[in-house]
Amino acid sequence: MRNKEGTKSTNVATIVGVVLVIILIAVIVGIIFYMRRSIVRPIELLNQSIQQVAAGDLSTEDVAVRSKDEISTLSTAFNAQWGFNELQKQRKIYKK
């Protein structure tokens, strides 16, 4: 009887271990998606706008980033620079 009880408790421990590993994997995947959305996506949006301006397409709009980190600081600087460039362009038009 002890062998059956030992085997039964080993099986339960194995099942619990497998379930915990599955939960851990799900949590890690969730963290990856969150990081992708909150870190990588704003950088991609900013990069697209910079590439658009570098290619000569001046129809780009401000990059909206909601975070309060370095990425937000960078996008704010880009938006301010872009606003300055638009102002310079308007001044040239009015001087003519």
Side-chain angles (χ1 to χ4, degrees):
M1 280 198 156
R2 286 187 179 174
N3 286 340
K4 287 184 180 181
E5 288 176 11
T7 304
K8 196 175 192 180
S9 65
T10 303
N11 288 342
V12 170
T14 302
I15 292 171
V16 169
V18 169
V19 169
L20 288 176
V21 167
I22 290 171
I23 291 171
L24 181 63
I25 290 171
V27 168
I28 290 171
V29 168
I31 290 171
I32 289 170
F33 279 118
Y34 172 76
M35 289 180 69
R36 163 114 174 92
R37 189 182 60 143
S38 65
I39 296 173
V40 175
R41 185 68 182 141
I43 293 173
E44 288 174 346
L45 291 173
L46 185 59
N47 186 38
Q48 287 173 359
S49 293
I50 292 170
Q51 294 296 327
Q52 196 175 0
V53 171
D57 182 4
L58 304 179
S59 65
T60 187
E61 296 181 9
D62 286 352
V63 179
V65 176
R66 297 179 189 164
S67 64
K68 302 287 184 201
D69 56 8
E70 291 83 1
I71 297 169
S72 175
T73 303
L74 183 61
S75 66
T76 301
F78 173 78
N79 292 337
Q81 178 64 40
W82 184 240
F84 178 75
N85 288 342
E86 285 295 311
L87 180 62
Q88 293 296 349
K89 189 167 67 172
Q90 292 298 323
R91 285 182 183 165
K92 288 179 185 177
I93 290 172
Y94 288 121
K95 285 183 179 180
K96 291 181 181 182

